[in-house]
Amino acid sequence: PYFLSYFTMFIGQFLVRPSFVMIVLVAITIAIFHRMVLKEEAHLLKIHKKEYEEYRGITGRYIPRRVIGDRN
């Protein structure tokens, strides 16, 4: 949800002040954040191994699939 809120904010800024420069900046920012997320996931997987793999299986990368602890 953290990065999704940033993506929403940047897209909102583009909608308020649409321009070619703004859409390029939004695209670059989203690409950089996505790359950061992938690196962070690889790092967490390396450190926490199976626990993180299980956690990743029940949560979404940007949009939560379900609440942790909810078994349904």
Side-chain angles (χ1 to χ4, degrees):
Y2 175 79
F3 286 106
L4 181 62
S5 65
Y6 273 106
F7 295 164
T8 304
M9 180 183 69
F10 291 130
I11 292 169
Q13 287 177 340
F14 168 73
L15 293 174
V16 169
R17 297 193 65 100
S19 70
F20 177 74
V21 172
M22 187 60 118
I23 195 67
V24 169
L25 290 175
V26 168
I28 290 170
T29 302
I30 289 174
I32 290 171
F33 278 11
H34 181 67
R35 188 172 176 205
M36 281 179 15
V37 167
L38 295 178
K39 284 185 175 186
E40 184 176 311
E41 284 182 346
H43 175 72
L44 290 171
L45 187 59
K46 184 178 176 182
I47 291 175
H48 299 288
K49 298 176 179 53
K50 185 166 175 54
E51 291 89 4
Y52 184 69
E53 189 68 42
E54 291 172 1
Y55 170 79
R56 198 167 70 171
I58 61 172
T59 60
R61 179 173 285 147
Y62 296 111
I63 300 173
R65 292 185 194 148
R66 63 181 179 178
V67 177
I68 302 300
D70 179 18
R71 299 290 179 193
N72 295 326

